[in-house]
């Protein structure tokens, strides 16, 4: 029994037919979904994507994120979202999506003379 | 003074032995995230053990150090409760052991943070945040497994059958605990009440009229502690005084 429980899979590497550490029956077998983790490193800053992990539910995802991504004081707030809810742009469409901006340097506000008194621009 | 030393060692031994047990999961957790979670808890507990051992060594003032107290005492000197030395078993048994201990520890430290000995009070207060998380994390696992599949539910039942007999000892004061000022009746009441709430949500029964094993707090242990110490103390025994 123990041998089954201590079987180890690395994250992102779980074969589909072997999820749940082989301990659940075929009928109820479900893969733990993947979650994306966003960490706010300190108050006032944005949440930044930190990585992803597996968890059975949102609560477990928060706790896993706390243990995996904030154990060295990296964060004060955690967001998690199931990866399947993230819609990503298609790399094959990069040409039409991003390249038209390349030759429009006038969109950068670099053509203004700023007074010396204005800091942090 | 002697009672305070013994009590401080008892608190240290509890956390060292459970920390060592949880550390046995390192690299063997069912999934990476839980592997990290249980070893984080292990490190928290060993951190608490260090604080208590350091204080006990100061009180003893006989040349003892935190290392000599952890590595050079034998089974009969160890004062940890029987619960923490029980084998990991499966994940359910490890989760239940953690839950039962964290629950006890949570209500105990709440009292200890007002202890007349300011050093014990300070360690308890500092550790309480960690314990609060351990309790939350292990409660969720007890509920998840108890109210999960038939397989996980049965494993929790088996774990309760295995471990419940070691919970009675926690609430029966031994000689060195009588002057600590701990209110054992309210400790037991609060602990059991919390267990009932969690077990109820987990659809697990709270056992009644179980014969309770005692002895750990006075150095009379189950056969498991010797094996734990053999592994824990091996390096210091084989290479006395060695350092990293």
């Amino acid at each position: 029994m123990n041998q089954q429980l201590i079987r180890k899979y690395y994250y992102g590497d779980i074969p589909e037919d072997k999820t749940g550490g082989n301990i659940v029956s075929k009928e109820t077998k479900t893969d733990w979904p993947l979650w994306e983790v966003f960490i706010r490193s300190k108050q006032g800053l944005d949440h930044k994507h930190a990585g992803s992990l597996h968890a059975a539910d949102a609560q477990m995802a928060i706790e896993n994120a706390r243990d995996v991504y904030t154990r060295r004081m990296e964060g004060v707030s955690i967001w998690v979202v199931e990866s399947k809810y993230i819609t990503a742009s298609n790399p094959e469409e990069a040409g039409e999506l991003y390249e038209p901006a390349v030759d429009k340097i006038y969109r950068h506000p670099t053509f203004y003379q700023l007074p010396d008194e204005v800091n942090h621009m | 003074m002697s009672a305070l030393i013994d009590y401080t060692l008892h608190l240290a031994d509890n956390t060292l032995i459970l920390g060592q047990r949880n550390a046995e999961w390192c690299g063997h957790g069912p999934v990476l995230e839980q592997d990290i979670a249980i070893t984080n808890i292990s490190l928290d507990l060993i951190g608490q053990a260090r604080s208590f051992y350091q204080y006990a060594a100061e009180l003893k003032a006989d040349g003892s150090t935190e290392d000599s107290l952890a590595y050079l005492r034998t089974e009969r000197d160890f004062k940890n409760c029987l619960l923490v030395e029980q084998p990991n078993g499966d994940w359910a048994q490890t989760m239940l052991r953690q839950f039962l201990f964290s629950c006890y520890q949570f209500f105990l430290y709440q009292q200890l943070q007002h202890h007349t000995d300011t050093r014990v009070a300070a360690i308890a207060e500092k550790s309480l945040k960690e314990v609060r998380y351990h309790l939350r994390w292990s409660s969720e696992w007890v509920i998840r497994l108890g109210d999960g599949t038939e397989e996980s539910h049965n494993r929790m039942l088996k774990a309760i059958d295995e471990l419940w007999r070691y919970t009675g000892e926690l609430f029966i004061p031994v000689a060195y605990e009588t002057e600590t000022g701990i209110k054992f009746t309210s400790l037991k009441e609060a602990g059991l009440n919390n267990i009932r709430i969690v077990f109820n949500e987990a659809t697990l029964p709270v056992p009644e009229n179980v014969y309770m094993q005692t002895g750990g707090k006075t150095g009379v242990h189950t056969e498991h502690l010797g094996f734990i110490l053999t592994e824990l103390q091996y390096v210091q025994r084989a290479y006395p005084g060695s350092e990293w």
Side-chain angles (χ1 to χ4, degrees):
Chain A
M1 284 302 206
N2 284 354
Q3 286 308 309
Q4 292 186 322
L5 255 189
I6 61 176
R7 177 166 299 182
K8 172 84 182 253
Y9 293 111
Y10 291 95
Y11 137 72
D13 199 21
I14 304 177
E16 273 189 25
D17 59 328
K18 293 191 174 140
T19 52
N22 271 352
I23 56 166
V24 286
S25 66
K26 282 229 183 296
E27 297 74 50
T28 55
K29 184 177 66 182
T30 48
D31 200 353
W32 282 4
L34 193 64
W35 299 74
E36 299 300 322
V37 179
F38 300 84
I39 307 277
R40 164 182 277 167
S41 56
K42 62 179 189 182
Q43 296 297 347
L45 294 184
D46 295 332
H47 285 75
K48 283 214 170 66
H49 188 228
S52 53
L53 45 72
H54 288 97
D57 53 47
Q59 192 61 38
M60 194 202 274
I62 292 268
E63 285 170 16
N64 287 350
R66 178 259 192 197
D67 284 320
V68 176
Y69 292 112
T70 70
R71 57 202 295 269
R72 298 183 186 87
M73 300 190 299
E74 292 95 335
V76 296
S77 168
I78 300 172
W79 287 351
V80 292
V81 61
E82 252 192 271
S83 308
K84 67 179 181 189
Y85 293 117
I86 290 185
T87 309
S89 61
N90 186 346
E92 285 168 19
E93 295 165 358
E96 67 234 51
L97 286 175
Y98 313 116
E99 277 172 28
V102 170
D103 59 355
K104 299 184 176 63
I105 54 167
Y106 50 84
R107 289 179 181 169
H108 291 274
T110 52
F111 299 94
Y112 304 98
Q113 293 291 333
L114 287 178
D116 292 339
E117 293 75 21
V118 179
N119 295 320
H120 308 303
M121 286 296 286
Chain B
M1 179 54 89
S2 157
L4 179 61
I5 292 172
D6 284 349
Y7 187 59
T8 309
L9 283 173
H10 158 69
L11 294 169
D13 293 343
N14 273 348
T15 45
L16 177 71
I17 299 302
L18 187 56
Q20 175 74 10
R21 271 295 191 217
N22 284 344
E24 291 171 16
W25 275 105
C26 186
H28 301 281
V31 293
L32 177 81
E33 293 83 355
Q34 300 308 325
D35 189 304
I36 294 175
I38 191 77
T39 39
N40 268 351
I41 290 177
S42 174
L43 286 172
D44 287 348
L45 291 170
I46 291 169
Q48 293 175 25
R50 287 194 61 193
S51 302
F52 286 124
Y53 281 134
Q54 285 164 2
Y55 185 41
E58 283 173 39
L59 290 172
K60 281 172 85 85
D62 61 355
S64 295
T65 64
E66 53 175 319
D67 284 338
S68 73
L69 292 174
Y71 291 129
L72 299 176
R73 287 183 304 140
T74 54
E75 291 108 297
R76 290 302 300 266
D77 298 324
F78 269 75
K79 296 169 178 41
N80 58 279
C81 57
L82 299 172
L83 176 66
V84 295
E85 69 199 36
Q86 297 312 306
N88 286 344
D90 55 15
W91 187 250
Q93 191 168 322
T94 297
M95 289 306 98
L96 182 71
R97 186 185 60 201
Q98 187 62 48
F99 167 68
L100 293 172
F101 185 74
S102 292
C103 186
Y104 160 72
Q105 212 185 15
F106 179 69
F107 293 106
L108 176 68
Y109 282 11
Q110 281 197 334
Q111 290 196 25
L112 280 184
Q113 63 179 338
H114 306 297
H115 198 266
T116 47
D117 186 278
T118 50
R119 184 79 168 268
V120 170
I123 299 170
E125 188 184 358
K126 179 173 176 288
S127 307
L128 200 52
K129 273 183 194 160
E130 295 171 351
V131 175
R132 190 186 292 273
Y133 183 76
H134 303 167
L135 179 57
R136 166 182 157 165
W137 182 83
S138 57
S139 301
E140 280 165 15
W141 267 109
V142 169
I143 294 165
R144 190 175 287 128
L145 294 175
D147 193 21
T149 63
E150 193 185 337
E151 171 82 25
S152 69
H153 182 81
N154 287 338
R155 282 173 185 253
M156 283 308 297
L157 289 179
K158 189 169 149 284
I160 293 172
D161 193 39
E162 196 70 43
L163 295 177
W164 192 259
R165 75 192 74 166
Y166 302 110
T167 56
E169 175 185 49
L170 301 172
F171 308 108
I172 304 168
V174 297
Y176 57 76
E177 288 180 300
T178 50
E179 283 170 33
T180 54
I182 296 163
K183 300 183 187 71
F184 281 88
T185 320
S186 63
L187 182 63
K188 184 176 182 177
E189 209 170 288
L192 276 177
N193 194 39
N194 191 71
I195 290 171
R196 270 193 208 97
I197 292 169
V198 172
F199 275 20
N200 187 40
E201 201 172 333
T203 69
L204 294 167
V206 179
E208 308 263 355
N209 302 319
V210 174
Y211 173 76
M212 292 295 182
Q213 298 283 350
T214 58
K217 295 202 276 193
T218 49
V220 184
H221 293 278
T222 57
E223 70 270 31
H224 307 296
L225 184 66
F227 292 96
I228 297 174
L229 294 183
T230 303
E231 189 166 307
L232 176 73
Q233 299 181 335
Y234 172 78
V235 175
Q236 278 302 320
R237 299 285 190 191
Y239 305 96
S242 63
E243 288 177 21
W244 285 105

